[in-house]
Amino acid sequence: PPEPPSKAYWWGVAAFGAAAGGWMLWRTIRITSRPVMLAIFGGLAVFMIAMSVFIGVSQTRHGPIAWVYYTPERFADAIGDGNVVVMDFTAEWCLNCKALESAVLYPEPVSALLNSRSGVVPIKVDITGNNELGNEMLRSVGRVTIPLLVVFAPDGTEVFKSDAYTAQQVIDAIEKAKSMRP
Protein backbone atom coordinates (compact mmCIF):
# COMPACT_ATOMS: atom_id res chain seq x y z
CA PRO A 1 0.00 0.00 0.00
CA PRO A 2 -0.85 2.57 -1.16
CA GLU A 3 0.07 1.54 -4.69
CA PRO A 4 -2.00 -1.21 -6.28
CA PRO A 5 -1.00 -4.79 -5.55
CA SER A 6 0.55 -6.83 -8.32
CA LYS A 7 -1.86 -8.87 -10.39
CA ALA A 8 0.83 -11.09 -11.87
CA TYR A 9 -0.44 -14.07 -9.89
CA TRP A 10 -3.43 -14.22 -12.27
CA TRP A 11 -1.03 -15.29 -15.02
CA GLY A 12 0.06 -18.19 -12.78
CA VAL A 13 -3.57 -19.19 -12.35
CA ALA A 14 -4.10 -18.88 -16.12
CA ALA A 15 -0.99 -20.97 -16.82
CA PHE A 16 -2.22 -23.79 -14.59
CA GLY A 17 -5.66 -23.70 -16.22
CA ALA A 18 -4.18 -23.71 -19.71
CA ALA A 19 -1.80 -26.54 -18.79
CA ALA A 20 -4.72 -28.58 -17.46
CA GLY A 21 -6.65 -27.94 -20.67
CA GLY A 22 -3.61 -28.84 -22.78
CA TRP A 23 -3.03 -32.02 -20.82
CA MET A 24 -6.72 -32.96 -21.17
CA LEU A 25 -6.61 -32.36 -24.93
CA TRP A 26 -3.41 -34.37 -25.37
CA ARG A 27 -4.72 -37.28 -23.25
CA THR A 28 -8.10 -37.23 -25.03
CA ILE A 29 -6.40 -37.50 -28.42
CA ARG A 30 -4.14 -40.33 -27.20
CA ILE A 31 -6.81 -42.36 -25.37
CA THR A 32 -10.02 -42.17 -27.39
CA SER A 33 -10.79 -43.23 -30.91
CA ARG A 34 -14.52 -42.45 -30.71
CA PRO A 35 -15.30 -39.20 -32.56
CA VAL A 36 -18.10 -38.18 -30.17
CA MET A 37 -15.87 -38.51 -27.09
CA LEU A 38 -13.02 -36.77 -28.90
CA ALA A 39 -15.32 -33.86 -29.79
CA ILE A 40 -16.79 -33.56 -26.29
CA PHE A 41 -13.59 -33.79 -24.27
CA GLY A 42 -11.45 -32.08 -26.90
CA GLY A 43 -13.93 -29.22 -27.00
CA LEU A 44 -13.94 -28.99 -23.20
CA ALA A 45 -10.14 -28.90 -23.18
CA VAL A 46 -10.02 -26.11 -25.78
CA PHE A 47 -12.65 -24.23 -23.75
CA MET A 48 -10.45 -24.57 -20.61
CA ILE A 49 -7.45 -23.16 -22.48
CA ALA A 50 -9.47 -20.24 -23.90
CA MET A 51 -11.02 -19.43 -20.51
CA SER A 52 -7.60 -19.49 -18.86
CA VAL A 53 -6.26 -16.95 -21.35
CA PHE A 54 -9.41 -14.84 -20.91
CA ILE A 55 -8.98 -14.88 -17.11
CA GLY A 56 -5.34 -13.83 -17.39
CA VAL A 57 -6.16 -10.92 -19.69
CA SER A 58 -9.34 -9.75 -17.95
CA GLN A 59 -7.97 -9.86 -14.42
CA THR A 60 -4.73 -7.99 -15.19
CA ARG A 61 -6.09 -5.14 -17.28
CA HIS A 62 -6.04 -1.65 -15.84
CA GLY A 63 -9.63 -0.66 -16.51
CA PRO A 64 -11.02 2.63 -17.84
CA ILE A 65 -10.60 4.72 -14.68
CA ALA A 66 -7.34 6.47 -13.79
CA TRP A 67 -7.50 5.81 -10.05
CA VAL A 68 -5.46 7.68 -7.47
CA TYR A 69 -4.53 5.18 -4.76
CA TYR A 70 -5.39 6.29 -1.25
CA THR A 71 -3.11 7.89 1.27
CA PRO A 72 -4.34 10.42 3.83
CA GLU A 73 -2.18 13.04 2.10
CA ARG A 74 -3.64 12.37 -1.36
CA PHE A 75 -7.17 12.58 0.04
CA ALA A 76 -6.36 15.82 1.90
CA ASP A 77 -4.76 17.29 -1.25
CA ALA A 78 -7.81 16.42 -3.38
CA ILE A 79 -10.20 18.02 -0.88
CA GLY A 80 -7.81 20.95 -0.32
CA ASP A 81 -7.81 21.67 -4.06
CA GLY A 82 -11.62 21.94 -3.99
CA ASN A 83 -12.34 18.63 -5.74
CA VAL A 84 -15.19 16.19 -5.37
CA VAL A 85 -13.71 12.87 -4.24
CA VAL A 86 -15.25 9.56 -5.29
CA MET A 87 -13.70 6.97 -2.97
CA ASP A 88 -14.03 3.28 -3.84
CA PHE A 89 -13.18 0.85 -1.03
CA THR A 90 -12.18 -2.49 -2.54
CA ALA A 91 -9.75 -5.42 -2.45
CA GLU A 92 -8.27 -7.71 -5.06
CA TRP A 93 -9.98 -10.72 -3.48
CA CYS A 94 -13.45 -9.09 -3.32
CA LEU A 95 -15.60 -10.46 -6.14
CA ASN A 96 -18.56 -8.21 -5.23
CA CYS A 97 -16.24 -5.20 -5.47
CA LYS A 98 -15.06 -6.29 -8.93
CA ALA A 99 -18.64 -6.87 -10.08
CA LEU A 100 -19.82 -3.42 -8.92
CA GLU A 101 -16.80 -1.74 -10.43
CA SER A 102 -17.32 -3.44 -13.80
CA ALA A 103 -21.09 -3.04 -13.93
CA VAL A 104 -21.49 0.46 -12.48
CA LEU A 105 -18.22 2.44 -12.58
CA TYR A 106 -16.63 1.20 -15.83
CA PRO A 107 -19.43 1.98 -18.31
CA GLU A 108 -19.06 5.22 -20.28
CA PRO A 109 -21.20 7.76 -18.41
CA VAL A 110 -19.60 7.12 -15.02
CA SER A 111 -16.02 6.43 -16.14
CA ALA A 112 -16.06 9.53 -18.36
CA LEU A 113 -17.18 11.64 -15.41
CA LEU A 114 -14.53 10.13 -13.12
CA ASN A 115 -11.79 10.69 -15.71
CA SER A 116 -12.93 14.18 -16.71
CA ARG A 117 -10.54 15.88 -14.31
CA SER A 118 -13.13 18.66 -14.01
CA GLY A 119 -13.04 18.82 -10.25
CA VAL A 120 -13.56 15.08 -9.65
CA VAL A 121 -10.83 12.85 -8.23
CA PRO A 122 -11.43 9.06 -8.16
CA ILE A 123 -9.58 7.55 -5.19
CA LYS A 124 -9.32 3.80 -4.71
CA VAL A 125 -8.79 2.44 -1.22
CA ASP A 126 -7.48 -1.07 -1.75
CA ILE A 127 -7.40 -2.98 1.53
CA THR A 128 -5.69 -6.04 0.03
CA GLY A 129 -3.00 -7.31 2.36
CA ASN A 130 -4.51 -5.64 5.44
CA ASN A 131 -3.73 -2.07 4.36
CA GLU A 132 -3.89 -0.34 7.76
CA LEU A 133 -4.32 3.19 6.37
CA GLY A 134 -7.14 1.95 4.14
CA ASN A 135 -8.82 0.14 7.02
CA GLU A 136 -8.56 3.28 9.18
CA MET A 137 -10.28 5.31 6.45
CA LEU A 138 -12.95 2.63 6.11
CA ARG A 139 -13.63 2.81 9.86
CA SER A 140 -13.63 6.63 9.75
CA VAL A 141 -16.58 6.59 7.34
CA GLY A 142 -18.45 4.29 9.71
CA ARG A 143 -18.01 0.94 7.96
CA VAL A 144 -15.89 -2.16 8.31
CA THR A 145 -16.96 -4.07 5.20
CA ILE A 146 -16.46 -3.72 1.47
CA PRO A 147 -17.51 -2.95 -1.24
CA LEU A 148 -18.24 0.65 -0.39
CA LEU A 149 -18.41 3.84 -2.44
CA VAL A 150 -18.32 7.24 -0.75
CA VAL A 151 -18.65 10.60 -2.50
CA PHE A 152 -17.21 13.62 -0.70
CA ALA A 153 -18.05 17.25 -1.45
CA PRO A 154 -15.15 19.72 -1.87
CA ASP A 155 -15.49 20.69 1.80
CA GLY A 156 -15.04 17.05 2.90
CA THR A 157 -18.72 16.42 3.65
CA GLU A 158 -20.02 12.95 2.86
CA VAL A 159 -22.67 13.31 0.16
CA PHE A 160 -23.25 9.65 -0.65
CA LYS A 161 -22.29 6.31 0.89
CA SER A 162 -23.46 2.91 -0.32
CA ASP A 163 -22.40 -0.68 -0.75
CA ALA A 164 -24.94 -1.27 -3.54
CA TYR A 165 -25.38 1.55 -6.01
CA THR A 166 -26.38 2.35 -9.57
CA ALA A 167 -24.64 4.44 -12.20
CA GLN A 168 -27.33 7.11 -11.89
CA GLN A 169 -26.87 7.29 -8.12
CA VAL A 170 -23.14 7.86 -8.59
CA ILE A 171 -23.70 10.54 -11.24
CA ASP A 172 -26.34 12.28 -9.09
CA ALA A 173 -24.07 12.19 -6.03
CA ILE A 174 -21.18 13.74 -7.98
CA GLU A 175 -23.45 16.48 -9.33
CA LYS A 176 -24.80 17.15 -5.83
CA ALA A 177 -21.27 17.33 -4.44
CA LYS A 178 -20.21 19.72 -7.22
CA SER A 179 -23.12 22.01 -6.38
CA MET A 180 -21.81 22.29 -2.81
CA ARG A 181 -18.62 24.06 -3.87
CA PRO A 182 -17.95 27.15 -1.77
Side-chain angles (χ1 to χ4, degrees):
E3 300 310 318
S6 172
K7 296 181 181 183
Y9 65 90
W10 280 110
W11 285 109
V13 171
F16 277 109
W23 179 85
M24 184 176 182
L25 181 61
W26 177 72
R27 292 299 296 164
T28 299
I29 292 169
R30 296 211 10 117
I31 292 173
T32 189
S33 60
R34 294 176 36 203
V36 171
M37 297 307 276
L38 184 60
I40 290 171
F41 288 101
L44 183 59
V46 170
F47 178 74
M48 286 173 61
I49 294 168
M51 283 307 297
S52 296
V53 171
F54 172 76
I55 286 169
V57 171
S58 68
Q59 294 303 309
T60 57
R61 70 175 177 227
H62 176 268
I65 299 170
W67 293 103
V68 173
Y69 282 83
Y70 173 78
T71 65
E73 297 79 19
R74 291 173 184 170
F75 176 61
D77 288 347
I79 293 293
D81 291 341
N83 292 302
V84 171
V85 172
V86 177
M87 190 172 284
D88 182 31
F89 291 88
T90 187
E92 281 300 311
W93 46 262
C94 177
L95 295 179
N96 289 343
C97 302
K98 300 285 185 199
L100 266 173
E101 210 172 273
S102 294
V104 178
L105 301 179
Y106 283 4
E108 181 61 32
V110 178
S111 64
L113 185 58
L114 293 175
N115 285 329
S116 68
R117 300 293 183 221
S118 61
V120 178
V121 176
I123 294 181
K124 183 175 277 197
V125 185
D126 192 321
I127 63 168
T128 302
N130 199 22
N131 174 352
E132 194 52 44
L133 291 174
N135 282 316
E136 284 176 25
M137 185 62 185
L138 184 59
R139 286 188 295 275
S140 78
V141 297
R143 296 290 178 94
V144 292
T145 60
I146 57 173
L148 181 66
L149 188 84
V150 182
V151 178
F152 294 92
D155 65 358
T157 305
E158 264 183 41
V159 173
F160 177 81
K161 177 169 48 178
S162 182
D163 57 4
Y165 45 86
T166 66
Q168 194 58 53
Q169 287 175 313
V170 175
I171 292 167
D172 292 345
I174 292 169
E175 293 307 319
K176 180 179 178 184
K178 281 183 173 183
S179 72
M180 297 172 68
R181 279 203 173 97

Short mmCIF file of all heavy atoms in Angstrom, two decimals, residues 125-163:
data_model
loop_
_atom_site.label_atom_id
_atom_site.label_comp_id
_atom_site.label_asym_id
_atom_site.label_seq_id
_atom_site.Cartn_x
_atom_site.Cartn_y
_atom_site.Cartn_z
N VAL A 125 -9.36 2.90 -2.48
CA VAL A 125 -8.79 2.44 -1.22
C VAL A 125 -8.78 0.92 -1.28
O VAL A 125 -9.80 0.28 -1.08
CB VAL A 125 -9.63 2.94 0.00
CG1 VAL A 125 -8.94 2.53 1.30
CG2 VAL A 125 -9.84 4.43 -0.06
N ASP A 126 -7.63 0.36 -1.60
CA ASP A 126 -7.48 -1.07 -1.75
C ASP A 126 -6.97 -1.64 -0.43
O ASP A 126 -5.86 -1.34 -0.03
CB ASP A 126 -6.52 -1.38 -2.89
CG ASP A 126 -6.55 -2.83 -3.30
OD1 ASP A 126 -6.65 -3.70 -2.40
OD2 ASP A 126 -6.48 -3.11 -4.50
N ILE A 127 -7.80 -2.44 0.23
CA ILE A 127 -7.40 -2.98 1.53
C ILE A 127 -6.79 -4.38 1.41
O ILE A 127 -6.66 -5.09 2.41
CB ILE A 127 -8.57 -2.97 2.54
CG1 ILE A 127 -9.72 -3.85 2.08
CG2 ILE A 127 -9.02 -1.55 2.81
CD1 ILE A 127 -10.75 -4.10 3.15
N THR A 128 -6.38 -4.76 0.22
CA THR A 128 -5.69 -6.04 0.03
C THR A 128 -4.45 -6.07 0.91
O THR A 128 -3.73 -5.08 0.99
CB THR A 128 -5.27 -6.20 -1.45
OG1 THR A 128 -6.43 -6.13 -2.26
CG2 THR A 128 -4.56 -7.52 -1.68
N GLY A 129 -4.21 -7.19 1.55
CA GLY A 129 -3.00 -7.31 2.36
C GLY A 129 -3.09 -6.56 3.67
O GLY A 129 -2.07 -6.15 4.22
N ASN A 130 -4.29 -6.33 4.17
CA ASN A 130 -4.51 -5.64 5.44
C ASN A 130 -3.87 -4.25 5.45
O ASN A 130 -3.09 -3.91 6.34
CB ASN A 130 -4.02 -6.49 6.62
CG ASN A 130 -4.63 -6.04 7.92
OD1 ASN A 130 -5.69 -5.40 7.92
ND2 ASN A 130 -3.99 -6.36 9.01
N ASN A 131 -4.20 -3.45 4.48
CA ASN A 131 -3.73 -2.07 4.36
C ASN A 131 -4.27 -1.27 5.55
O ASN A 131 -5.44 -0.91 5.58
CB ASN A 131 -4.23 -1.50 3.02
CG ASN A 131 -3.93 -0.04 2.83
OD1 ASN A 131 -3.48 0.65 3.73
ND2 ASN A 131 -4.19 0.44 1.63
N GLU A 132 -3.44 -0.99 6.52
CA GLU A 132 -3.89 -0.34 7.76
C GLU A 132 -4.44 1.05 7.52
O GLU A 132 -5.46 1.43 8.10
CB GLU A 132 -2.76 -0.30 8.79
CG GLU A 132 -3.24 0.05 10.19
CD GLU A 132 -4.40 -0.82 10.70
OE1 GLU A 132 -4.37 -2.05 10.51
OE2 GLU A 132 -5.35 -0.25 11.28
N LEU A 133 -3.80 1.85 6.66
CA LEU A 133 -4.32 3.19 6.37
C LEU A 133 -5.69 3.11 5.71
O LEU A 133 -6.59 3.90 6.01
CB LEU A 133 -3.36 3.97 5.48
CG LEU A 133 -2.03 4.38 6.11
CD1 LEU A 133 -1.13 5.02 5.05
CD2 LEU A 133 -2.25 5.32 7.28
N GLY A 134 -5.85 2.15 4.79
CA GLY A 134 -7.14 1.95 4.14
C GLY A 134 -8.21 1.51 5.12
O GLY A 134 -9.35 2.00 5.08
N ASN A 135 -7.86 0.60 6.02
CA ASN A 135 -8.82 0.14 7.02
C ASN A 135 -9.20 1.27 7.98
O ASN A 135 -10.35 1.36 8.40
CB ASN A 135 -8.27 -1.06 7.79
CG ASN A 135 -8.40 -2.34 7.01
OD1 ASN A 135 -9.43 -2.61 6.40
ND2 ASN A 135 -7.35 -3.14 7.00
N GLU A 136 -8.25 2.13 8.33
CA GLU A 136 -8.56 3.28 9.18
C GLU A 136 -9.56 4.21 8.49
O GLU A 136 -10.50 4.69 9.12
CB GLU A 136 -7.28 4.06 9.52
CG GLU A 136 -6.41 3.41 10.55
CD GLU A 136 -5.12 4.17 10.78
OE1 GLU A 136 -5.07 5.40 10.52
OE2 GLU A 136 -4.15 3.52 11.21
N MET A 137 -9.35 4.45 7.19
CA MET A 137 -10.28 5.31 6.45
C MET A 137 -11.65 4.66 6.36
O MET A 137 -12.68 5.33 6.50
CB MET A 137 -9.73 5.61 5.05
CG MET A 137 -10.58 6.59 4.27
SD MET A 137 -10.64 8.19 5.11
CE MET A 137 -11.80 9.05 4.10
N LEU A 138 -11.69 3.36 6.16
CA LEU A 138 -12.95 2.63 6.11
C LEU A 138 -13.70 2.78 7.44
O LEU A 138 -14.90 3.07 7.46
CB LEU A 138 -12.70 1.16 5.79
CG LEU A 138 -13.91 0.25 5.60
CD1 LEU A 138 -14.80 0.75 4.46
CD2 LEU A 138 -13.44 -1.17 5.32
N ARG A 139 -13.00 2.63 8.55
CA ARG A 139 -13.63 2.81 9.86
C ARG A 139 -14.06 4.26 10.07
O ARG A 139 -15.10 4.52 10.69
CB ARG A 139 -12.69 2.36 10.97
CG ARG A 139 -12.56 0.85 11.07
CD ARG A 139 -11.78 0.41 12.30
NE ARG A 139 -10.38 0.82 12.30
CZ ARG A 139 -9.40 0.14 11.72
NH1 ARG A 139 -9.65 -0.99 11.08
NH2 ARG A 139 -8.16 0.58 11.77
N SER A 140 -13.29 5.21 9.54
CA SER A 140 -13.63 6.63 9.75
C SER A 140 -14.92 7.04 9.04
O SER A 140 -15.55 8.02 9.43
CB SER A 140 -12.47 7.54 9.34
OG SER A 140 -12.41 7.68 7.94
N VAL A 141 -15.31 6.30 8.01
CA VAL A 141 -16.58 6.59 7.34
C VAL A 141 -17.71 5.72 7.90
O VAL A 141 -18.81 5.69 7.34
CB VAL A 141 -16.50 6.45 5.79
CG1 VAL A 141 -15.52 7.46 5.21
CG2 VAL A 141 -16.16 5.04 5.36
N GLY A 142 -17.41 5.03 9.01
CA GLY A 142 -18.45 4.29 9.71
C GLY A 142 -18.74 2.90 9.20
O GLY A 142 -19.82 2.37 9.44
N ARG A 143 -17.81 2.29 8.50
CA ARG A 143 -18.01 0.94 7.96
C ARG A 143 -16.79 0.08 8.28
O ARG A 143 -15.71 0.58 8.55
CB ARG A 143 -18.21 0.97 6.45
CG ARG A 143 -19.45 1.68 5.99
CD ARG A 143 -20.72 0.90 6.33
NE ARG A 143 -21.91 1.61 5.94
CZ ARG A 143 -22.54 1.44 4.79
NH1 ARG A 143 -22.10 0.59 3.91
NH2 ARG A 143 -23.63 2.13 4.53
N VAL A 144 -17.00 -1.23 8.17
CA VAL A 144 -15.89 -2.16 8.31
C VAL A 144 -15.89 -3.19 7.18
O VAL A 144 -15.04 -4.07 7.15
CB VAL A 144 -15.90 -2.89 9.68
CG1 VAL A 144 -15.60 -1.92 10.80
CG2 VAL A 144 -17.21 -3.62 9.90
N THR A 145 -16.86 -3.10 6.28
CA THR A 145 -16.96 -4.07 5.20
C THR A 145 -16.88 -3.39 3.84
O THR A 145 -17.14 -2.19 3.71
CB THR A 145 -18.30 -4.85 5.28
OG1 THR A 145 -19.37 -3.92 5.18
CG2 THR A 145 -18.40 -5.62 6.58
N ILE A 146 -16.51 -4.18 2.85
CA ILE A 146 -16.46 -3.72 1.47
C ILE A 146 -17.36 -4.61 0.65
O ILE A 146 -17.68 -5.71 1.09
CB ILE A 146 -15.01 -3.71 0.92
CG1 ILE A 146 -14.40 -5.11 1.03
CG2 ILE A 146 -14.18 -2.68 1.64
CD1 ILE A 146 -13.05 -5.25 0.38
N PRO A 147 -17.79 -4.19 -0.52
CA PRO A 147 -17.51 -2.95 -1.24
C PRO A 147 -18.21 -1.76 -0.60
O PRO A 147 -19.22 -1.91 0.08
CB PRO A 147 -18.07 -3.21 -2.64
CG PRO A 147 -19.15 -4.21 -2.43
CD PRO A 147 -18.70 -5.06 -1.26
N LEU A 148 -17.65 -0.59 -0.88
CA LEU A 148 -18.24 0.65 -0.39
C LEU A 148 -17.79 1.77 -1.31
O LEU A 148 -16.62 1.84 -1.69
CB LEU A 148 -17.81 0.95 1.04
CG LEU A 148 -18.38 2.21 1.67
CD1 LEU A 148 -19.90 2.08 1.86
CD2 LEU A 148 -17.70 2.52 2.98
N LEU A 149 -18.72 2.65 -1.65
CA LEU A 149 -18.41 3.84 -2.44
C LEU A 149 -18.87 5.04 -1.63
O LEU A 149 -20.00 5.06 -1.15
CB LEU A 149 -19.13 3.81 -3.79
CG LEU A 149 -18.71 4.93 -4.75
CD1 LEU A 149 -17.44 4.51 -5.49
CD2 LEU A 149 -19.79 5.26 -5.73
N VAL A 150 -17.99 6.02 -1.48
CA VAL A 150 -18.32 7.24 -0.75
C VAL A 150 -17.96 8.42 -1.64
O VAL A 150 -16.88 8.46 -2.23
CB VAL A 150 -17.53 7.34 0.58
CG1 VAL A 150 -17.93 8.59 1.35
CG2 VAL A 150 -17.73 6.09 1.43
N VAL A 151 -18.89 9.37 -1.75
CA VAL A 151 -18.65 10.60 -2.50
C VAL A 151 -18.56 11.74 -1.50
O VAL A 151 -19.46 11.93 -0.68
CB VAL A 151 -19.77 10.87 -3.53
CG1 VAL A 151 -19.51 12.18 -4.28
CG2 VAL A 151 -19.87 9.70 -4.52
N PHE A 152 -17.45 12.48 -1.58
CA PHE A 152 -17.21 13.62 -0.70
C PHE A 152 -17.33 14.91 -1.48
O PHE A 152 -16.81 15.02 -2.59
CB PHE A 152 -15.81 13.56 -0.09
CG PHE A 152 -15.58 12.41 0.84
CD1 PHE A 152 -15.05 11.22 0.36
CD2 PHE A 152 -15.88 12.52 2.18
CE1 PHE A 152 -14.82 10.15 1.22
CE2 PHE A 152 -15.65 11.45 3.05
CZ PHE A 152 -15.13 10.26 2.56
N ALA A 153 -17.98 15.91 -0.88
CA ALA A 153 -18.05 17.25 -1.45
C ALA A 153 -16.69 17.92 -1.28
O ALA A 153 -15.85 17.45 -0.49
CB ALA A 153 -19.14 18.06 -0.76
N PRO A 154 -16.44 19.04 -1.98
CA PRO A 154 -15.15 19.72 -1.87
C PRO A 154 -14.80 20.18 -0.45
O PRO A 154 -13.62 20.38 -0.15
CB PRO A 154 -15.31 20.92 -2.81
CG PRO A 154 -16.30 20.46 -3.82
CD PRO A 154 -17.26 19.61 -3.06
N ASP A 155 -15.80 20.31 0.42
CA ASP A 155 -15.49 20.69 1.80
C ASP A 155 -15.27 19.48 2.70
O ASP A 155 -15.10 19.62 3.91
CB ASP A 155 -16.60 21.58 2.37
CG ASP A 155 -17.94 20.86 2.50
OD1 ASP A 155 -18.03 19.67 2.10
OD2 ASP A 155 -18.89 21.48 2.99
N GLY A 156 -15.27 18.27 2.14
CA GLY A 156 -15.04 17.05 2.90
C GLY A 156 -16.29 16.40 3.46
O GLY A 156 -16.22 15.36 4.10
N THR A 157 -17.45 16.98 3.19
CA THR A 157 -18.72 16.42 3.65
C THR A 157 -19.08 15.19 2.85
O THR A 157 -18.97 15.19 1.62
CB THR A 157 -19.86 17.47 3.50
OG1 THR A 157 -19.48 18.65 4.16
CG2 THR A 157 -21.16 16.94 4.05
N GLU A 158 -19.53 14.14 3.55
CA GLU A 158 -20.02 12.95 2.86
C GLU A 158 -21.35 13.27 2.21
O GLU A 158 -22.29 13.68 2.87
CB GLU A 158 -20.26 11.82 3.87
CG GLU A 158 -19.15 10.86 4.00
CD GLU A 158 -19.50 9.73 4.95
OE1 GLU A 158 -20.64 9.22 4.92
OE2 GLU A 158 -18.62 9.37 5.74
N VAL A 159 -21.43 13.05 0.90
CA VAL A 159 -22.67 13.31 0.16
C VAL A 159 -23.41 12.01 -0.11
O VAL A 159 -24.64 11.98 -0.15
CB VAL A 159 -22.34 14.03 -1.17
CG1 VAL A 159 -23.56 14.17 -2.04
CG2 VAL A 159 -21.70 15.37 -0.90
N PHE A 160 -22.66 10.94 -0.27
CA PHE A 160 -23.25 9.65 -0.65
C PHE A 160 -22.38 8.54 -0.10
O PHE A 160 -21.15 8.63 -0.12
CB PHE A 160 -23.31 9.56 -2.18
CG PHE A 160 -23.83 8.26 -2.71
CD1 PHE A 160 -25.18 8.01 -2.78
CD2 PHE A 160 -22.96 7.28 -3.17
CE1 PHE A 160 -25.67 6.81 -3.29
CE2 PHE A 160 -23.43 6.08 -3.68
CZ PHE A 160 -24.79 5.85 -3.74
N LYS A 161 -23.02 7.49 0.41
CA LYS A 161 -22.29 6.31 0.89
C LYS A 161 -23.18 5.10 0.68
O LYS A 161 -24.32 5.07 1.13
CB LYS A 161 -21.95 6.47 2.37
CG LYS A 161 -21.26 5.28 2.97
CD LYS A 161 -20.69 5.51 4.36
CE LYS A 161 -21.62 6.15 5.32
NZ LYS A 161 -21.06 6.32 6.65
N SER A 162 -22.65 4.10 -0.05
CA SER A 162 -23.46 2.91 -0.32
C SER A 162 -22.57 1.73 -0.68
O SER A 162 -21.50 1.89 -1.25
CB SER A 162 -24.43 3.18 -1.46
OG SER A 162 -25.24 2.05 -1.70
N ASP A 163 -23.08 0.54 -0.35
CA ASP A 163 -22.40 -0.68 -0.75
C ASP A 163 -23.10 -1.37 -1.92
O ASP A 163 -22.66 -2.40 -2.40
CB ASP A 163 -22.26 -1.64 0.42
CG ASP A 163 -23.59 -2.01 1.05
OD1 ASP A 163 -24.63 -1.57 0.54
OD2 ASP A 163 -23.57 -2.73 2.07
#
